[in-house]
Amino acid sequence: MDLGIAGRWALVCAASKGLGKGCAQALVSEGVNVVITARGADALNATAAELRALNGGEVRAVVGDITTPAGRAAALAACPQMDILVNNAGGPPPGDFRDWDREAWIKALDANMLTPIELMKATVDAMAARGYGRVVNITSGAVKAPIDVLGLSNGARSGLTGFVAGLARSDIAAHGVTINGLLPGPFDTDRLRVATQGAAAKSGQAFDAIWARRVQGIPARRVGNAAEFGAFCAFLCSVHAGYLTGQNILLDGGGYPGTF
Ligand code: NAD
């Protein structure tokens, strides 16, 4: 299937590793020109080299923290035209809400709610004016089913999701702009491995035992991989997904137990 987006420009935030990288790989393979960001230059430049080797769209790498005004400005400046925006950033740490002060909450809100809102504010009107736009917000399965130790994530991402439910249905919808949430369940990335290592250290159990138990809880009996996440993201960005907006789509191997 030709996704019909070759030659378009995309900004994929937080894309030196993991799910963001998977999205960038899929888009570049479709001939999309992509700006990727991350805070660490080494990992980002290595990923940019991998993406260029795909011989797809042009690849630009911008070092910076996407949760800061300077990081966002640099990312936007590198993208000559914004057709596709994939919002992503690191997730908040786990913990107990009794230990979180205002600063911890503001940090989580900045990363997982206000940064994507700022980037949509900077881009959706121009997308609407050109008659084509795709925004994919990488959030979490925690939006549908909260994860007990990830209260900061549950809260911040639900705030984003509520805001987007309104924005997606506003006047931009009639001008070819779609906004959807992509909700990962467990995916095999650094984040999941570090979280599993943390759980192993805390409980005294082996990493493999915790990983195996996690997999047992997923009907697909495996965790997801970044390539399949990226392929789904690219489809959401395609010409074929123009009638899909304001939705929150779980990619979790069947882990969420509800009918809807
Ligand atoms: P990851 O740790 O594997 O990769 C995160 C990427 O984001 C890296 O490239 C890192 O350099 C970059 N990054 C982090 N903070 C940044 C910032 N402030 N500015 C710029 N770049 C930044 O993580 P992942 O597994 O790919 O997760 C991506 C998002 O999806 C996170 O918000 C995570 O919480 C969420 N998520 C992941 C899973 C999972 O199982 N992997 C499940 C649910 C939700």
Side-chain angles (χ1 to χ4, degrees), residues 1-8 23-34 54-58 84 230-231 233-235 237-238 240:
M1 182 189 285
D2 178 0
L3 297 188
I5 46 178
R8 298 260 179 209
C23 295
Q25 281 171 324
L27 290 169
V28 169
S29 299
E30 288 297 320
V32 175
N33 304 313
V34 169
L54 296 171
N55 292 316
E58 183 180 334
I84 294 165
C233 175
F235 176 75
C237 299
S238 77
H240 308 296

PDB file of all heavy atoms in Angstrom, residues 1-8 23-34 54-58 84 230-231 233-235 237-238 240:
ATOM      1  N   MET A   1       0.842  -1.193   0.000  1.00  0.00           N
ATOM      2  CA  MET A   1       0.000   0.000   0.000  1.00  0.00           C
ATOM      3  C   MET A   1       0.886   1.255   0.000  1.00  0.00           C
ATOM      4  O   MET A   1       1.793   1.368   0.829  1.00  0.00           O
ATOM      5  CB  MET A   1      -0.880   0.014   1.253  1.00  0.00           C
ATOM      6  CG  MET A   1      -1.822   1.195   1.310  1.00  0.00           C
ATOM      7  SD  MET A   1      -2.661   1.328   2.908  1.00  0.00           S
ATOM      8  CE  MET A   1      -3.839   0.016   2.770  1.00  0.00           C
ATOM      9  N   ASP A   2       0.635   2.152  -0.917  1.00  0.00           N
ATOM     10  CA  ASP A   2       1.352   3.431  -0.928  1.00  0.00           C
ATOM     11  C   ASP A   2       0.658   4.363   0.055  1.00  0.00           C
ATOM     12  O   ASP A   2      -0.530   4.673  -0.109  1.00  0.00           O
ATOM     13  CB  ASP A   2       1.321   4.009  -2.348  1.00  0.00           C
ATOM     14  CG  ASP A   2       2.010   5.365  -2.437  1.00  0.00           C
ATOM     15  OD1 ASP A   2       2.521   5.859  -1.405  1.00  0.00           O
ATOM     16  OD2 ASP A   2       2.022   5.945  -3.540  1.00  0.00           O
ATOM     17  N   LEU A   3       1.385   4.820   1.061  1.00  0.00           N
ATOM     18  CA  LEU A   3       0.751   5.671   2.080  1.00  0.00           C
ATOM     19  C   LEU A   3       0.489   7.090   1.585  1.00  0.00           C
ATOM     20  O   LEU A   3      -0.195   7.872   2.246  1.00  0.00           O
ATOM     21  CB  LEU A   3       1.602   5.690   3.357  1.00  0.00           C
ATOM     22  CG  LEU A   3       1.769   4.338   4.073  1.00  0.00           C
ATOM     23  CD1 LEU A   3       2.463   4.534   5.422  1.00  0.00           C
ATOM     24  CD2 LEU A   3       0.447   3.618   4.267  1.00  0.00           C
ATOM     25  N   GLY A   4       1.063   7.438   0.439  1.00  0.00           N
ATOM     26  CA  GLY A   4       0.748   8.735  -0.168  1.00  0.00           C
ATOM     27  C   GLY A   4       1.345   9.936   0.547  1.00  0.00           C
ATOM     28  O   GLY A   4       0.819  11.043   0.441  1.00  0.00           O
ATOM     29  N   ILE A   5       2.445   9.731   1.280  1.00  0.00           N
ATOM     30  CA  ILE A   5       3.019  10.837   2.045  1.00  0.00           C
ATOM     31  C   ILE A   5       4.483  11.117   1.689  1.00  0.00           C
ATOM     32  O   ILE A   5       5.155  11.888   2.371  1.00  0.00           O
ATOM     33  CB  ILE A   5       2.878  10.605   3.574  1.00  0.00           C
ATOM     34  CG1 ILE A   5       3.294   9.171   3.967  1.00  0.00           C
ATOM     35  CG2 ILE A   5       1.447  10.903   4.021  1.00  0.00           C
ATOM     36  CD1 ILE A   5       3.233   8.886   5.466  1.00  0.00           C
ATOM     37  N   ALA A   6       4.986  10.507   0.629  1.00  0.00           N
ATOM     38  CA  ALA A   6       6.371  10.783   0.212  1.00  0.00           C
ATOM     39  C   ALA A   6       6.502  12.278  -0.073  1.00  0.00           C
ATOM     40  O   ALA A   6       5.614  12.891  -0.671  1.00  0.00           O
ATOM     41  CB  ALA A   6       6.708   9.975  -1.037  1.00  0.00           C
ATOM     42  N   GLY A   7       7.599  12.854   0.396  1.00  0.00           N
ATOM     43  CA  GLY A   7       7.842  14.276   0.170  1.00  0.00           C
ATOM     44  C   GLY A   7       7.256  15.180   1.239  1.00  0.00           C
ATOM     45  O   GLY A   7       7.573  16.376   1.277  1.00  0.00           O
ATOM     46  N   ARG A   8       6.414  14.648   2.106  1.00  0.00           N
ATOM     47  CA  ARG A   8       5.892  15.444   3.225  1.00  0.00           C
ATOM     48  C   ARG A   8       6.988  15.647   4.259  1.00  0.00           C
ATOM     49  O   ARG A   8       7.975  14.906   4.287  1.00  0.00           O
ATOM     50  CB  ARG A   8       4.694  14.730   3.869  1.00  0.00           C
ATOM     51  CG  ARG A   8       3.513  14.535   2.923  1.00  0.00           C
ATOM     52  CD  ARG A   8       2.473  15.575   3.188  1.00  0.00           C
ATOM     53  NE  ARG A   8       1.323  15.481   2.324  1.00  0.00           N
ATOM     54  CZ  ARG A   8       0.583  16.533   1.987  1.00  0.00           C
ATOM     55  NH1 ARG A   8       0.910  17.742   2.402  1.00  0.00           N
ATOM     56  NH2 ARG A   8      -0.468  16.397   1.223  1.00  0.00           N
ATOM     57  N   CYS A  23       8.877   5.199  14.789  1.00  0.00           N
ATOM     58  CA  CYS A  23       8.014   6.057  13.949  1.00  0.00           C
ATOM     59  C   CYS A  23       8.849   6.730  12.865  1.00  0.00           C
ATOM     60  O   CYS A  23       8.439   6.801  11.694  1.00  0.00           O
ATOM     61  CB  CYS A  23       7.312   7.114  14.802  1.00  0.00           C
ATOM     62  SG  CYS A  23       6.147   6.409  15.993  1.00  0.00           S
ATOM     63  N   ALA A  24      10.009   7.249  13.248  1.00  0.00           N
ATOM     64  CA  ALA A  24      10.864   7.925  12.275  1.00  0.00           C
ATOM     65  C   ALA A  24      11.299   6.948  11.171  1.00  0.00           C
ATOM     66  O   ALA A  24      11.298   7.289   9.979  1.00  0.00           O
ATOM     67  CB  ALA A  24      12.081   8.526  12.975  1.00  0.00           C
ATOM     68  N   GLN A  25      11.641   5.721  11.561  1.00  0.00           N
ATOM     69  CA  GLN A  25      12.062   4.723  10.558  1.00  0.00           C
ATOM     70  C   GLN A  25      10.953   4.454   9.549  1.00  0.00           C
ATOM     71  O   GLN A  25      11.187   4.402   8.340  1.00  0.00           O
ATOM     72  CB  GLN A  25      12.447   3.413  11.258  1.00  0.00           C
ATOM     73  CG  GLN A  25      13.837   3.458  11.864  1.00  0.00           C
ATOM     74  CD  GLN A  25      14.139   2.253  12.752  1.00  0.00           C
ATOM     75  OE1 GLN A  25      13.263   1.747  13.450  1.00  0.00           O
ATOM     76  NE2 GLN A  25      15.387   1.832  12.753  1.00  0.00           N
ATOM     77  N   ALA A  26       9.742   4.296  10.067  1.00  0.00           N
ATOM     78  CA  ALA A  26       8.626   3.984   9.161  1.00  0.00           C
ATOM     79  C   ALA A  26       8.341   5.158   8.234  1.00  0.00           C
ATOM     80  O   ALA A  26       8.080   4.968   7.032  1.00  0.00           O
ATOM     81  CB  ALA A  26       7.388   3.626   9.981  1.00  0.00           C
ATOM     82  N   LEU A  27       8.393   6.366   8.754  1.00  0.00           N
ATOM     83  CA  LEU A  27       8.096   7.541   7.922  1.00  0.00           C
ATOM     84  C   LEU A  27       9.187   7.761   6.867  1.00  0.00           C
ATOM     85  O   LEU A  27       8.891   8.016   5.694  1.00  0.00           O
ATOM     86  CB  LEU A  27       7.937   8.782   8.810  1.00  0.00           C
ATOM     87  CG  LEU A  27       6.662   8.792   9.672  1.00  0.00           C
ATOM     88  CD1 LEU A  27       6.720   9.910  10.720  1.00  0.00           C
ATOM     89  CD2 LEU A  27       5.413   8.961   8.801  1.00  0.00           C
ATOM     90  N   VAL A  28      10.443   7.664   7.270  1.00  0.00           N
ATOM     91  CA  VAL A  28      11.543   7.843   6.306  1.00  0.00           C
ATOM     92  C   VAL A  28      11.450   6.786   5.204  1.00  0.00           C
ATOM     93  O   VAL A  28      11.650   7.077   4.014  1.00  0.00           O
ATOM     94  CB  VAL A  28      12.916   7.785   7.024  1.00  0.00           C
ATOM     95  CG1 VAL A  28      14.059   7.691   6.017  1.00  0.00           C
ATOM     96  CG2 VAL A  28      13.097   9.008   7.899  1.00  0.00           C
ATOM     97  N   SER A  29      11.102   5.566   5.587  1.00  0.00           N
ATOM     98  CA  SER A  29      10.966   4.490   4.592  1.00  0.00           C
ATOM     99  C   SER A  29       9.871   4.799   3.577  1.00  0.00           C
ATOM    100  O   SER A  29       9.910   4.302   2.451  1.00  0.00           O
ATOM    101  CB  SER A  29      10.633   3.157   5.281  1.00  0.00           C
ATOM    102  OG  SER A  29      11.667   2.806   6.149  1.00  0.00           O
ATOM    103  N   GLU A  30       8.894   5.591   3.998  1.00  0.00           N
ATOM    104  CA  GLU A  30       7.806   5.984   3.087  1.00  0.00           C
ATOM    105  C   GLU A  30       8.163   7.227   2.274  1.00  0.00           C
ATOM    106  O   GLU A  30       7.310   7.797   1.590  1.00  0.00           O
ATOM    107  CB  GLU A  30       6.529   6.261   3.893  1.00  0.00           C
ATOM    108  CG  GLU A  30       5.885   5.012   4.448  1.00  0.00           C
ATOM    109  CD  GLU A  30       5.407   4.048   3.357  1.00  0.00           C
ATOM    110  OE1 GLU A  30       4.879   4.524   2.334  1.00  0.00           O
ATOM    111  OE2 GLU A  30       5.574   2.836   3.526  1.00  0.00           O
ATOM    112  N   GLY A  31       9.405   7.700   2.419  1.00  0.00           N
ATOM    113  CA  GLY A  31       9.826   8.872   1.644  1.00  0.00           C
ATOM    114  C   GLY A  31       9.494  10.199   2.297  1.00  0.00           C
ATOM    115  O   GLY A  31       9.606  11.261   1.670  1.00  0.00           O
ATOM    116  N   VAL A  32       9.105  10.151   3.581  1.00  0.00           N
ATOM    117  CA  VAL A  32       8.816  11.390   4.310  1.00  0.00           C
ATOM    118  C   VAL A  32      10.151  11.998   4.767  1.00  0.00           C
ATOM    119  O   VAL A  32      11.054  11.286   5.210  1.00  0.00           O
ATOM    120  CB  VAL A  32       7.909  11.107   5.534  1.00  0.00           C
ATOM    121  CG1 VAL A  32       7.691  12.366   6.366  1.00  0.00           C
ATOM    122  CG2 VAL A  32       6.577  10.521   5.077  1.00  0.00           C
ATOM    123  N   ASN A  33      10.267  13.324   4.662  1.00  0.00           N
ATOM    124  CA  ASN A  33      11.431  14.034   5.194  1.00  0.00           C
ATOM    125  C   ASN A  33      11.193  14.246   6.682  1.00  0.00           C
ATOM    126  O   ASN A  33      10.135  14.751   7.077  1.00  0.00           O
ATOM    127  CB  ASN A  33      11.588  15.393   4.510  1.00  0.00           C
ATOM    128  CG  ASN A  33      11.669  15.253   3.004  1.00  0.00           C
ATOM    129  OD1 ASN A  33      12.416  14.415   2.497  1.00  0.00           O
ATOM    130  ND2 ASN A  33      10.882  16.055   2.286  1.00  0.00           N
ATOM    131  N   VAL A  34      12.178  13.879   7.499  1.00  0.00           N
ATOM    132  CA  VAL A  34      11.929  13.809   8.931  1.00  0.00           C
ATOM    133  C   VAL A  34      12.962  14.610   9.728  1.00  0.00           C
ATOM    134  O   VAL A  34      14.157  14.523   9.476  1.00  0.00           O
ATOM    135  CB  VAL A  34      11.937  12.328   9.384  1.00  0.00           C
ATOM    136  CG1 VAL A  34      11.949  12.210  10.893  1.00  0.00           C
ATOM    137  CG2 VAL A  34      10.706  11.597   8.843  1.00  0.00           C
ATOM    138  N   LEU A  54      18.476   4.267   5.033  1.00  0.00           N
ATOM    139  CA  LEU A  54      17.251   3.695   4.451  1.00  0.00           C
ATOM    140  C   LEU A  54      16.990   4.226   3.046  1.00  0.00           C
ATOM    141  O   LEU A  54      16.124   3.714   2.331  1.00  0.00           O
ATOM    142  CB  LEU A  54      16.042   4.017   5.348  1.00  0.00           C
ATOM    143  CG  LEU A  54      16.052   3.405   6.754  1.00  0.00           C
ATOM    144  CD1 LEU A  54      14.909   3.977   7.601  1.00  0.00           C
ATOM    145  CD2 LEU A  54      15.947   1.892   6.669  1.00  0.00           C
ATOM    146  N   ASN A  55      17.720   5.300   2.700  1.00  0.00           N
ATOM    147  CA  ASN A  55      17.559   5.922   1.372  1.00  0.00           C
ATOM    148  C   ASN A  55      16.107   6.305   1.091  1.00  0.00           C
ATOM    149  O   ASN A  55      15.586   6.082   0.003  1.00  0.00           O
ATOM    150  CB  ASN A  55      18.083   5.002   0.257  1.00  0.00           C
ATOM    151  CG  ASN A  55      19.582   4.851   0.339  1.00  0.00           C
ATOM    152  OD1 ASN A  55      20.281   5.842   0.548  1.00  0.00           O
ATOM    153  ND2 ASN A  55      20.065   3.626   0.227  1.00  0.00           N
ATOM    154  N   GLY A  56      15.486   6.866   2.100  1.00  0.00           N
ATOM    155  CA  GLY A  56      14.119   7.354   1.939  1.00  0.00           C
ATOM    156  C   GLY A  56      14.114   8.863   1.916  1.00  0.00           C
ATOM    157  O   GLY A  56      14.832   9.477   1.133  1.00  0.00           O
ATOM    158  N   GLY A  57      13.319   9.455   2.817  1.00  0.00           N
ATOM    159  CA  GLY A  57      13.258  10.905   2.879  1.00  0.00           C
ATOM    160  C   GLY A  57      14.506  11.508   3.508  1.00  0.00           C
ATOM    161  O   GLY A  57      15.359  10.797   4.051  1.00  0.00           O
ATOM    162  N   GLU A  58      14.613  12.833   3.410  1.00  0.00           N
ATOM    163  CA  GLU A  58      15.734  13.555   4.040  1.00  0.00           C
ATOM    164  C   GLU A  58      15.620  13.437   5.564  1.00  0.00           C
ATOM    165  O   GLU A  58      14.508  13.385   6.104  1.00  0.00           O
ATOM    166  CB  GLU A  58      15.646  15.036   3.621  1.00  0.00           C
ATOM    167  CG  GLU A  58      16.787  15.873   4.132  1.00  0.00           C
ATOM    168  CD  GLU A  58      16.674  17.345   3.702  1.00  0.00           C
ATOM    169  OE1 GLU A  58      16.049  17.643   2.658  1.00  0.00           O
ATOM    170  OE2 GLU A  58      17.204  18.199   4.427  1.00  0.00           O
ATOM    171  N   ILE A  84       3.343  16.595   9.344  1.00  0.00           N
ATOM    172  CA  ILE A  84       3.151  15.493  10.290  1.00  0.00           C
ATOM    173  C   ILE A  84       3.901  15.839  11.576  1.00  0.00           C
ATOM    174  O   ILE A  84       5.067  16.241  11.527  1.00  0.00           O
ATOM    175  CB  ILE A  84       3.706  14.175   9.697  1.00  0.00           C
ATOM    176  CG1 ILE A  84       2.886  13.739   8.472  1.00  0.00           C
ATOM    177  CG2 ILE A  84       3.747  13.073  10.748  1.00  0.00           C
ATOM    178  CD1 ILE A  84       3.560  12.676   7.611  1.00  0.00           C
ATOM    179  N   GLY A 230       5.883   1.837  14.837  1.00  0.00           N
ATOM    180  CA  GLY A 230       6.155   2.849  13.809  1.00  0.00           C
ATOM    181  C   GLY A 230       5.297   2.661  12.571  1.00  0.00           C
ATOM    182  O   GLY A 230       4.804   3.629  11.988  1.00  0.00           O
ATOM    183  N   ALA A 231       5.097   1.410  12.173  1.00  0.00           N
ATOM    184  CA  ALA A 231       4.281   1.134  10.981  1.00  0.00           C
ATOM    185  C   ALA A 231       2.850   1.620  11.192  1.00  0.00           C
ATOM    186  O   ALA A 231       2.224   2.193  10.296  1.00  0.00           O
ATOM    187  CB  ALA A 231       4.297  -0.362  10.675  1.00  0.00           C
ATOM    188  N   CYS A 233       1.935   3.996  13.266  1.00  0.00           N
ATOM    189  CA  CYS A 233       1.995   5.468  13.279  1.00  0.00           C
ATOM    190  C   CYS A 233       2.010   6.005  11.852  1.00  0.00           C
ATOM    191  O   CYS A 233       1.291   6.963  11.531  1.00  0.00           O
ATOM    192  CB  CYS A 233       3.244   5.905  14.046  1.00  0.00           C
ATOM    193  SG  CYS A 233       3.517   7.686  14.002  1.00  0.00           S
ATOM    194  N   ALA A 234       2.818   5.395  10.997  1.00  0.00           N
ATOM    195  CA  ALA A 234       2.907   5.867   9.604  1.00  0.00           C
ATOM    196  C   ALA A 234       1.559   5.753   8.907  1.00  0.00           C
ATOM    197  O   ALA A 234       1.175   6.622   8.120  1.00  0.00           O
ATOM    198  CB  ALA A 234       3.973   5.066   8.858  1.00  0.00           C
ATOM    199  N   PHE A 235       0.824   4.690   9.215  1.00  0.00           N
ATOM    200  CA  PHE A 235      -0.505   4.570   8.610  1.00  0.00           C
ATOM    201  C   PHE A 235      -1.414   5.714   9.083  1.00  0.00           C
ATOM    202  O   PHE A 235      -2.152   6.310   8.276  1.00  0.00           O
ATOM    203  CB  PHE A 235      -1.150   3.213   8.932  1.00  0.00           C
ATOM    204  CG  PHE A 235      -2.552   3.120   8.386  1.00  0.00           C
ATOM    205  CD1 PHE A 235      -2.764   2.929   7.024  1.00  0.00           C
ATOM    206  CD2 PHE A 235      -3.658   3.290   9.208  1.00  0.00           C
ATOM    207  CE1 PHE A 235      -4.058   2.902   6.494  1.00  0.00           C
ATOM    208  CE2 PHE A 235      -4.953   3.263   8.691  1.00  0.00           C
ATOM    209  CZ  PHE A 235      -5.146   3.066   7.329  1.00  0.00           C
ATOM    210  N   CYS A 237      -0.570   8.571   9.747  1.00  0.00           N
ATOM    211  CA  CYS A 237      -0.114   9.790   9.076  1.00  0.00           C
ATOM    212  C   CYS A 237      -0.431   9.776   7.580  1.00  0.00           C
ATOM    213  O   CYS A 237      -0.192  10.760   6.878  1.00  0.00           O
ATOM    214  CB  CYS A 237       1.402   9.956   9.258  1.00  0.00           C
ATOM    215  SG  CYS A 237       1.872  10.112  10.986  1.00  0.00           S
ATOM    216  N   SER A 238      -0.953   8.676   7.095  1.00  0.00           N
ATOM    217  CA  SER A 238      -1.114   8.498   5.653  1.00  0.00           C
ATOM    218  C   SER A 238      -2.361   9.172   5.115  1.00  0.00           C
ATOM    219  O   SER A 238      -3.241   9.603   5.873  1.00  0.00           O
ATOM    220  CB  SER A 238      -1.185   6.992   5.326  1.00  0.00           C
ATOM    221  OG  SER A 238      -2.474   6.474   5.647  1.00  0.00           O
ATOM    222  N   HIS A 240      -4.644   7.640   3.778  1.00  0.00           N
ATOM    223  CA  HIS A 240      -5.758   6.706   3.974  1.00  0.00           C
ATOM    224  C   HIS A 240      -6.458   6.878   5.322  1.00  0.00           C
ATOM    225  O   HIS A 240      -7.524   6.305   5.535  1.00  0.00           O
ATOM    226  CB  HIS A 240      -5.259   5.260   3.848  1.00  0.00           C
ATOM    227  CG  HIS A 240      -4.483   5.028   2.596  1.00  0.00           C
ATOM    228  ND1 HIS A 240      -5.037   5.145   1.341  1.00  0.00           N
ATOM    229  CD2 HIS A 240      -3.172   4.739   2.402  1.00  0.00           C
ATOM    230  CE1 HIS A 240      -4.099   4.926   0.424  1.00  0.00           C
ATOM    231  NE2 HIS A 240      -2.967   4.677   1.042  1.00  0.00           N
TER     232      HIS A 240
END
